[in-house]
């Protein structure tokens, strides 16, 4: 008698077990959905960092002329010892479009898009460097 | 009837043996897991948390945290990453995950299976890791990785939770 009841109890338990895939409960699914929602919310908060403004740093003879937003199209005129150089910022790139020096190496470099890139015009003592958030470059590696 | 050593010593021999056994399980899984190279660095399935999950019904907070700490230190030393930045991430994230899983077990054991608890643990683990990485690299742009790692934790948490459900003898 005793044996038969325990046996039936076991089989009942087993049958109940079989109906649920690996003991997953309704609350597990609720937790999954809640955490997925929270992860989705961080997507909005983390997004602005992605398009964090890169800045163009311009200096003449070691003095900082100024910082300029790389996403704003504009032209900056910088007066150096030889004359006026023109730095143009457009479409997220910076380029020296006019230089008073004889070689025009800085002009031939073309536009620079990324952080850490820089253009130097030695005769006119002009340095143009892009600072700020990088894209596609590694800051550090930890393993 | 308790074993003789249970009566006389402060820490029972049996508990010591259990501690060592679980620590060895966890260290073994940790070592093997570190050997598997995934295409993305930093990403590991975190299978060692299964050991934590399986321990939850049977042991207290101190015991589980102790096993975890031994696992992190000995496991990292075995793999050769002790005190590296990655180790700091594993230590911080793992501690947070272990504590969160213990808390989740305490409050949700009647409702959640190991799947839910594992999901919470994995999620907290990755959250804390990304925040720690932000402090280590000292640049807010690391937070861009946060959504990616959080969604990833849902996958790994599900895998671990289902495995723990399968392995553990305890029904929740």
């Amino acid at each position: 008698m005793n044996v038969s009841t325990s046996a039936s109890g076991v089989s009942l338990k087993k049958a109940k077990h079989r109906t649920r895939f690996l003991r997953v409960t309704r609350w597990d699914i609720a937790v999954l959905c809640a955490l997925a929602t929270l992860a989705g919310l961080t997507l909005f908060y983390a997004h602005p960092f992605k398009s964090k403004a890169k800045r163009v740093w311009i200096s003449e003879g070691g003095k900082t002329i100024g910082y300029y937003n790389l996403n704003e199209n504009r032209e900056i005129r910088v007066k150096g010892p030889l004359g006026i150089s023109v730095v143009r910022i457009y479409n997220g790139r910076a380029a020296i479009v006019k230089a008073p020096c004889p070689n025009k190496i800085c002009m031939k470099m073309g536009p620079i898009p990324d952080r850490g890139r820089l253009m130097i015009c030695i005769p006119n003592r002009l340095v143009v460097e892009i600072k700020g958030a990088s894209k596609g470059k590694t800051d550090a590696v930890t393993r | 009837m308790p074993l003789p050593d249970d009566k006389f010593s402060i820490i029972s021999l049996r508990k010591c043996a259990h501690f060592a056994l679980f620590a060895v399980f966890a260290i073994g899984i940790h070592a093997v897991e570190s050997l598997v190279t995934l295409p993305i660095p930093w990403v590991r399935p975190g299978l060692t948390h299964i050991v934590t999950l399986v321990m939850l019904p049977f042991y207290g907070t101190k015991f589980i945290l102790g096993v975890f700490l031994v696992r992190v230190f000995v496991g990292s030393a075995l793999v050769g990453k002790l005190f590296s930045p990655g180790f700091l991430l594993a230590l911080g994230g793992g501690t947070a995950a272990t504590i969160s899983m213990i808390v989740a077990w305490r409050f949700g054991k009647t409702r959640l299976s190991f799947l839910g608890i594992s999901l919470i643990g994995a999620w907290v683990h990755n959250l804390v890791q990304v925040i720690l990485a932000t402090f280590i690299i000292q640049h807010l742009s690391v937070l861009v990785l946060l959504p990616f790692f959080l969604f990833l934790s849902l996958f790994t948490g599900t895998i671990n939770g289902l495995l723990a459900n399968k392995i553990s003898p305890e029904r929740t």
Side-chain angles (χ1 to χ4, degrees):
Chain A
M1 184 65 184
N2 209 357
V3 171
S4 69
T5 46
S6 72
S8 68
V10 166
S11 68
L12 252 176
K13 247 185 183 174
K14 266 190 177 172
K16 212 176 164 189
H17 234 244
R18 230 174 270 139
T19 53
R20 286 190 301 176
F21 176 69
L22 286 172
R23 310 182 201 170
V24 175
T25 66
R26 217 172 288 166
W27 288 90
D28 288 333
I29 308 297
V31 165
L32 178 63
C33 293
L35 293 181
T37 316
L38 282 173
L41 282 178
T42 61
L43 210 60
F44 290 103
Y45 275 98
H47 184 69
F49 294 110
K50 213 182 260 180
S51 59
K52 197 181 175 187
K54 287 187 269 189
R55 294 178 307 165
V56 184
W57 174 68
I58 298 174
S59 90
E60 188 271 310
K63 285 178 298 180
T64 299
I65 301 291
Y67 288 95
Y68 303 92
N69 192 342
L70 194 56
N71 295 321
E72 274 172 37
N73 295 353
R74 66 184 293 178
E75 271 189 10
I76 299 124
R77 299 168 155 271
V78 182
K79 195 167 167 19
L82 285 184
I84 289 172
S85 298
V86 179
V87 181
R88 182 183 285 167
I89 300 170
Y90 62 100
N91 300 337
R93 290 147 174 260
I96 296 178
V97 290
K98 201 176 163 220
C101 50
N103 294 328
K104 319 263 190 222
I105 293 173
C106 48
M107 282 171 66
K108 283 173 195 152
M109 264 191 82
I112 51 170
D114 283 324
R115 187 181 84 130
R117 299 280 193 89
L118 75 173
M119 294 183 292
I120 301 170
C121 175
I122 292 169
N124 215 12
R125 301 198 300 173
L126 177 74
V127 179
V128 178
E129 187 183 350
I130 297 183
K131 305 199 169 209
S134 65
K135 199 182 172 189
K137 280 171 101 183
T138 314
D139 287 323
V141 175
T142 60
R143 278 228 73 175
Chain B
M1 188 183 158
L3 288 175
D5 62 72
D6 279 348
K7 256 183 196 168
F8 301 113
S9 57
I10 300 162
I11 308 163
S12 77
L13 205 60
R14 186 192 288 192
K15 218 170 178 186
C16 260
H18 285 192
F19 189 96
L21 201 62
F22 277 111
V24 166
F25 276 148
I27 292 164
I29 295 172
H30 183 106
V32 170
E33 201 185 59
S34 301
L35 293 177
V36 179
T37 314
L38 287 169
I40 321 160
W42 280 7
V43 175
R44 277 195 286 155
L47 295 171
T48 41
H49 282 310
I50 294 173
V51 176
T52 311
L53 286 170
V54 172
M55 280 193 297
L56 280 172
F58 305 106
Y59 302 100
T61 309
K62 268 186 266 173
F63 190 94
I64 294 171
L65 264 178
V67 169
F68 163 74
L69 287 175
V70 167
R71 186 269 286 182
V72 168
F73 277 93
V74 178
S76 304
L78 266 182
V79 181
K81 287 182 191 164
L82 195 57
F83 302 125
S84 70
F87 163 78
L88 287 179
L89 295 182
L91 181 64
T95 311
T98 309
I99 291 169
S100 68
M101 284 195 284
I102 291 167
V103 171
W105 170 258
R106 210 156 277 162
F107 289 103
K109 62 181 156 192
T110 51
R111 292 182 177 136
L112 296 170
S113 75
F114 289 120
L115 174 61
I117 291 161
S118 164
L119 278 168
I120 291 170
W123 203 84
V124 170
H125 189 119
N126 282 19
L127 178 72
V128 171
Q129 263 193 341
V130 172
I131 291 170
L132 272 180
T134 314
F135 278 107
I136 289 173
I137 296 181
Q138 306 225 318
H139 202 288
L140 276 177
S141 63
V142 181
L143 287 177
V144 174
L145 294 171
L146 191 58
F148 168 72
F149 275 106
L150 288 184
F151 277 115
L152 200 76
S153 76
L154 297 181
F155 280 100
T156 57
T158 308
I159 294 166
N160 290 345
L162 291 178
L163 280 172
N165 273 354
K166 187 87 189 159
I167 291 166
S168 174
E170 185 77 2
R171 285 203 59 194
T172 53

